[in-house]
Amino acid sequence: MSEGTAQAVYPPSAEFVSQANAGPELEQAAEADRLAFWAEQARRLHWDTDFTDVLDWSDAPFAKWFVGGKLNVAYNCVDRHVEAGNGSRVAIHWVGEPGDSRDVTYDQLLAEVSQAANYFTEIGLVSGDRVAIYMPMVPEAIITMLACARLGLTHSVVFAGFSAGALRSRVDDAEAKLVVTTDGQYRRGKPAPLKAAVDEALGSGDDAAKSVEHVLVVNRTDSDINWTDGRDLWWHETVAKSDTAHTPQAHDAEHPLFLLYTSGTTGKPKGIVHTTGGYLTQVSYTFHNVFDHKPGEDVFWCGADIGWVTGHSYLVYGPLSNGATEVIYEGTPNSPNEHRHFEIIEQYKVSTYYIAPTLIRTFMKWGREIPDAHDLSSLRLLGSVGEPINPEAWRWYHEVIGGERCPIVDTWWQTETGAIMISPLPGITETKPGSAMAPLPGISANIVDEQGKSVGAGEQGFLVLDKPWPSMLRGIWRDDERFRETYWSRFADQGWYFAGDGARYDDDHALWVLGRIDDVMNISGHRISTAEVESALVGHHSIAEAAVIGAADPTTGQGIVAFVILRQGQEDTGDQLITELKAQVSKDISPIAKPREIHVVPELPKTRSGKIMRRLLKDVAEGRELGDTSTLVDPTVFDNIRRGNKV
Ligand code: WTA
């Protein structure tokens, strides 16, 4: 039996269908006239100046959407809900890790975003300047993003789990003038320093980050911190004392809203550029339709961190542009214990819950008695993002968390796509566990072979986006060449965007994303490039060469496995060396990039042209028989690897 017919399908209930935001007419409208459809979606927003053209693709692959239009993102996310009489609605139920909490209404959000906008103006920031945000999940992080958007400052959020070195390279690349941070952050019940990493990153004297004028610090943990007079500023002494009224200016639809650095296939992270009108149109549209959002009724919770694109699009711009009420949780799912998420769902009556498969698998490991101990009946829709969801995790999510009544939207997208691209629509699609199903109305995707020919059912191919979309990346910050090369060179003749993922259709034309086919790993839904980890490892004085692969891992999706060769004359000090190497990766990149295993090997398998055969290393790491070794210079390498290292 083919896979397509063997799969059980899950149609939405009649009750869900009858109230769903998106019905078949949405698909019909997009099919009838794609650009008119997007114009209509754009008009869900408030435009100060209407656009004259929906799309200008004449300078492909550099797109312009909603040409000539002007709007203010913060006005769309905050002010207009207040003006519509919904100022007392809670925008954010914020839950701190140690048990503190705060509800922020749209009225309050407007006042605080205005204060930050006034203060940023006072210290001389003007539209087009860059601001780096290195913060845990506190309300001020979102307030800062919105204040930047309000003023046309381009923000660059750097995940607070990244190291000082990673922060510095991003600050330098973007030439950020302001860095916003906190003194510390709560991690598993204890305050951990954060400002110290900013101090280390920015350096001093000759080594100081040249672009940075100020560091603005939110007091989160009451920790003692070092202070650089003239550069450092306390939020509570500055922003919090500023005027709460601020009049927003409209910005061009193509004004850069944010940069977000993501791993590519080389060691240097690339600054993905997103702009204003198209980005907000698509995040707002997808939030409304994929999450079937009902303002004033639903309570939405996206478990992502603001340091990733999911946090940008579905914790800030998507929900707030729709006037949503959402939960923002500062901490980890097992702090103080494994009940935390379910207590929050119960307490705030969360109706829509959007997390990564790795967390679902972690919940499965902890056992169903934990969610079973809570009243989760407020949930009506579940979402998944960041990696392929295995059918077993899908079914567990559906049954145990969703009580078999909640549709699941398995949403495929990327930092580069800005918003959800391929996903079920919860009131229409008969879903299959593990499949992202089909492109959304207005989005066009295909699965093709090397020559660009559509593949047949069951065949694996390259996932491509064959028509531009509003929230598409507009480039890589200051690197047009890399932008063309990375995304647009593989199918240059056709002018298609290559996503880096493999995929296949089943017999019912449902789309299955199979994961990355380039040198990007996916660890717990985080993108990490093999090259980045390799370059950190060879940064250690004992290491001559390193090869890194992502090996299948039952919980994290993939786990990082490294093979290293010692430099001549260096001694293998066993556990000590491994500990040092892991520390080196943590320091250079982040603890999330720390290899699960490191094997010291006498040599690496290479092709005659000198390319490391990662596929074969993957076979070894996953305990498989070796694949084709005929292109290897020396096929006996593997005997040495296996013998020497008990792999
Ligand atoms: C993977 C996260 C399968 C994919 C929003 C993609 C997925 C990369 C899914 C982007 C999904 C994301 N099913 N794979 N539903 N969602 N991916 O930039 O490999 O952090 O290319 O964006 O995650 O990761 P990024």
Side-chain angles (χ1 to χ4, degrees):
M1 206 182 312
S2 76
E3 283 211 60
T5 48
Q7 293 284 339
V9 297
Y10 292 71
S13 66
E15 201 187 337
F16 198 100
V17 173
S18 67
Q19 59 79 62
N21 290 349
E25 67 292 342
L26 200 72
E27 291 165 331
Q28 285 150 14
E31 250 156 59
D33 187 339
R34 206 173 71 90
L35 293 184
F37 170 83
W38 280 120
E40 195 184 322
Q41 299 312 321
R43 294 213 162 87
R44 295 181 63 246
L45 304 173
H46 173 85
W47 293 79
D48 296 81
T49 307
D50 199 7
F51 43 89
T52 50
D53 270 316
V54 179
L55 169 68
D56 176 357
W57 192 226
S58 58
D59 189 24
F62 299 90
K64 289 195 188 72
W65 280 86
F66 308 118
V67 182
K70 284 190 162 57
L71 74 169
N72 188 289
V73 168
Y75 175 86
N76 274 285
C77 289
V78 189
D79 308 44
R80 69 172 171 145
H81 309 311
V82 172
E83 287 172 13
N86 296 316
S88 59
R89 180 186 298 163
V90 172
I92 298 170
H93 291 294
W94 178 78
V95 183
E97 186 179 85
D100 48 345
S101 64
R102 194 185 149 198
D103 284 352
V104 183
T105 63
Y106 277 95
D107 277 335
Q108 289 163 335
L109 193 60
L110 177 57
E112 296 193 33
V113 169
S114 298
Q115 286 183 313
N118 281 321
Y119 188 68
F120 293 175
T121 305
E122 197 180 314
I123 57 175
L125 296 173
V126 295
S127 177
D129 287 345
R130 272 83 55 206
V131 174
I133 301 176
Y134 186 63
M135 300 174 88
M137 297 271 283
V138 292
E140 289 84 353
I142 293 167
I143 290 164
T144 301
M145 291 166 78
L146 291 168
C148 287
R150 196 173 185 90
L151 296 173
L153 308 173
T154 301
H155 60 66
S156 163
V157 181
V158 180
F159 175 56
F162 275 133
S163 66
L167 173 62
R168 174 64 183 263
S169 64
R170 287 159 173 78
V171 164
D172 282 350
D173 190 63
E175 295 179 290
K177 282 194 177 168
L178 173 70
V179 180
V180 188
T181 189
T182 62
D183 56 343
Q185 57 181 333
Y186 286 101
R187 284 261 194 86
R188 301 183 198 283
K190 286 197 212 82
L194 191 63
K195 164 73 159 55
V198 176
D199 292 337
E200 188 190 334
L202 300 186
S204 58
D206 286 349
D207 176 47
K210 292 195 183 43
S211 61
V212 177
E213 292 167 2
H214 291 292
V215 176
L216 181 60
V217 190
V218 172
N219 179 6
R220 172 65 187 123
T221 55
D222 267 329
S223 306
D224 286 333
I225 54 172
N226 289 329
W227 200 255
T228 303
D229 284 328
R231 186 195 71 180
D232 296 352
L233 307 157
W234 278 116
W235 181 284
H236 58 267
E237 290 174 356
T238 57
V239 174
K241 292 190 171 151
S242 296
D243 192 351
T244 54
H246 179 269
T247 309
Q249 306 291 316
H251 303 287
D252 190 89
E254 286 300 334
H255 186 77
L257 178 63
F258 65 85
L259 307 181
L260 186 57
Y261 286 82
T262 187
S263 294
T265 51
T266 71
K268 189 174 177 280
K270 47 198 180 192
I272 302 299
V273 181
H274 280 290
T275 61
T276 297
Y279 173 79
L280 197 66
T281 294
Q282 196 175 327
V283 294
S284 201
Y285 154 75
T286 49
F287 184 79
H288 177 74
N289 290 297
V290 175
F291 297 118
D292 191 48
H293 175 251
K294 308 287 191 289
E297 294 171 28
D298 276 314
V299 178
F300 179 77
W301 183 9
C302 163
D305 189 281
I306 49 150
W308 313 114
V309 75
T310 309
H312 284 60
S313 301
Y314 298 106
L315 206 127
V316 183
Y317 297 112
L320 298 177
S321 63
N322 281 286
T325 298
E326 62 174 337
V327 166
I328 290 185
Y329 171 51
E330 184 186 32
T332 49
N334 53 353
S335 182
N337 59 47
E338 291 80 2
H339 289 267
R340 193 69 191 263
H341 270 227
F342 309 110
E343 280 165 5
I344 294 174
I345 292 173
E346 199 169 6
Q347 180 180 355
Y348 290 99
K349 302 207 166 13
V350 170
S351 59
T352 315
Y353 183 53
Y354 187 38
I355 56 172
T358 187
L359 184 57
I360 300 168
R361 291 191 294 266
T362 303
F363 289 152
M364 288 169 77
K365 218 163 56 183
W366 290 344
R368 70 171 292 160
E369 58 282 5
I370 294 172
D372 280 351
H374 299 272
D375 176 5
L376 305 180
S377 60
S378 57
L379 290 172
R380 67 178 197 92
L381 179 63
L382 301 173
S384 164
V385 60
E387 41 172 333
I389 178 168
N390 47 312
E392 194 194 348
W394 194 104
R395 285 190 285 266
W396 191 91
Y397 197 31
H398 186 254
E399 184 193 330
V400 178
I401 307 297
E404 295 183 355
R405 80 188 165 272
C406 307
I408 296 180
V409 288
D410 172 5
T411 62
W412 178 88
W413 58 296
Q414 309 178 298
T415 305
E416 292 86 343
T417 69
I420 298 170
M421 303 291 284
I422 301 176
S423 167
L425 281 167
I428 305 179
T429 314
E430 301 195 345
T431 52
K432 295 185 181 188
S435 169
M437 300 307 294
L440 290 176
I443 300 299
S444 185
N446 199 5
I447 307 174
V448 298
D449 66 14
E450 294 271 1
Q451 282 74 44
K453 230 171 80 260
S454 299
V455 299
E459 278 174 59
Q460 179 174 345
F462 302 102
L463 180 58
V464 296
L465 302 168
D466 55 6
K467 295 212 172 80
W469 63 102
S471 64
M472 66 195 291
L473 76 167
R474 298 304 197 263
I476 293 176
W477 181 247
R478 291 184 175 158
D479 201 342
D480 289 352
E481 198 36 54
R482 192 173 175 195
F483 172 58
R484 287 179 196 276
E485 172 60 33
T486 310
Y487 305 106
W488 304 93
S489 62
R490 187 153 206 152
F491 297 104
D493 292 346
Q494 298 89 341
W496 297 338
Y497 170 93
F498 171 49
D501 282 313
R504 65 176 165 77
Y505 296 115
D506 67 18
D507 292 345
D508 304 320
H509 211 63
L511 193 152
W512 296 71
V513 178
L514 304 168
R516 306 291 308 192
I517 56 169
D518 53 13
D519 294 332
V520 177
M521 300 175 287
N522 191 329
I523 317 297
S524 298
H526 301 319
R527 269 168 73 168
I528 298 164
S529 83
T530 53
E532 243 176 318
V533 180
E534 285 163 5
S535 109
L537 290 168
V538 296
H540 187 278
H541 61 88
S542 303
I543 301 304
E545 218 179 333
V548 165
I549 53 121
D553 185 288
T555 306
T556 57
Q558 288 189 320
I560 303 179
V561 178
F563 297 85
V564 296
I565 301 179
L566 292 180
R567 279 180 193 225
Q568 202 93 59
Q570 294 291 329
E571 193 192 335
D572 182 356
T573 53
D575 287 351
Q576 189 196 331
L577 175 66
I578 304 299
T579 308
E580 281 176 31
L581 290 174
K582 288 188 177 176
Q584 177 95 19
V585 177
S586 272
K587 185 172 152 293
D588 277 11
I589 309 170
S590 162
I592 57 175
K594 223 168 17 182
R596 183 185 79 186
E597 293 162 38
I598 300 179
H599 302 286
V600 181
V601 294
E603 53 197 318
L604 292 169
K606 289 193 181 154
T607 61
R608 286 177 183 82
S609 60
K611 207 167 150 17
I612 293 173
M613 301 272 296
R614 286 213 178 70
R615 182 174 53 77
L616 294 178
L617 289 171
K618 219 169 144 116
D619 288 342
V620 175
E622 294 176 352
R624 266 192 306 275
E625 282 299 308
L626 288 187
D628 182 9
T629 56
S630 59
T631 51
L632 280 183
V633 180
D634 174 11
T636 61
V637 167
F638 277 99
D639 300 334
N640 295 335
I641 291 181
R642 285 217 168 99
R643 209 172 20 250
N645 296 282
K646 311 167 279 293
V647 178

